[in-house]
Amino acid sequence: MTLQEAALSTADTPNPVADPQAVVDLLGVLAYGELTAFDRLADDSRLAPTLTGRAALAGMAAAEIGHYQRLRNRLTELGADAEVAMAPFVPVFDTFHARTTPQTWLEGLVKAYVGDGIAADFYREVAQFLDAPTRDLVLDVLADTGHADFAVREVRAAISADRRAQGRLSLWGRRLVGEAMTQSQAVIAEHDVLADLIITGTGDLAGVGRLIKRITDAHTKRMKALGLNP
């Protein structure tokens, strides 16, 4: 089910309390996202040209595994099995990462900042429709772990040293956002309760449009912060 189809089917329905399954699905997708972020950051740290860079990414990886554990604990509190909750999202995440494997240190930084950033923006939007304890947890685990400032510093320095890097990394950033949007659509298409949560939360197609525009605007600002062309 697409967001547009769900909007048309629920346009006249008042916003209900979030479906418990939608909450479990959202926590499941986030938990697997944090687990894969840990794996990826740990791997990418080995591409670092300096020990300082390697330590910085290793520290961020440690923060991600801490986030995963908190989400897993919340799923347990809700009576859900974390592994079962994550399992439906493994294929789409693994496909995304297989298609966007960075070949260089800078590509890895751009992926974490741009690719993960647009996903985080999407899930922050959805979190507004949850109960307060779950919403606060989601917003907390999606908060910046220091990667943003570090990525901006490293990428801008690289562009200053070699202007050709700007074009290559701009193309990479646009590819990442395309893949990230495809991933998000796949998640929604395969999980109707998440689609219903978004539609009832935003209200209608216009609300969905405003949500997408906020995410797109945030992506543009993120690319510009790196010194890249959106």
Side-chain angles (χ1 to χ4, degrees), residues 24 27-28 31 70-82 85:
V24 169
L27 294 177
R70 293 179 63 191
L71 291 163
R72 181 194 63 194
N73 292 342
R74 180 59 177 161
L75 282 164
T76 301
E77 290 172 1
L78 295 175
D81 182 295

Side-chain angles (χ1 to χ4, degrees), residues 25 42 81 113 118 126 180 189:
D25 281 354
D81 182 295
Y113 184 56
I118 198 166
V126 179

Side-chain angles (χ1 to χ4, degrees), residues 3 113-114 117-125 173-174 177-178 180-182 184-185 207-225 228-230:
L3 290 180
Y113 184 56
V114 172
I118 198 166
D121 289 339
F122 173 72
Y123 295 124
R124 271 191 286 266
E125 291 279 354
R174 289 194 285 273
V177 72
M181 293 300 288
T182 298
S184 297
Q185 287 291 328
V208 172
R210 289 190 294 271
L211 182 153
I212 292 172
K213 186 177 187 304
R214 288 193 296 271
I215 293 172
T216 302
D217 289 347
H219 164 68
T220 298
K221 291 178 182 178
R222 204 173 278 118
M223 289 284 281
K224 289 181 177 179
L228 304 179
N229 300 317

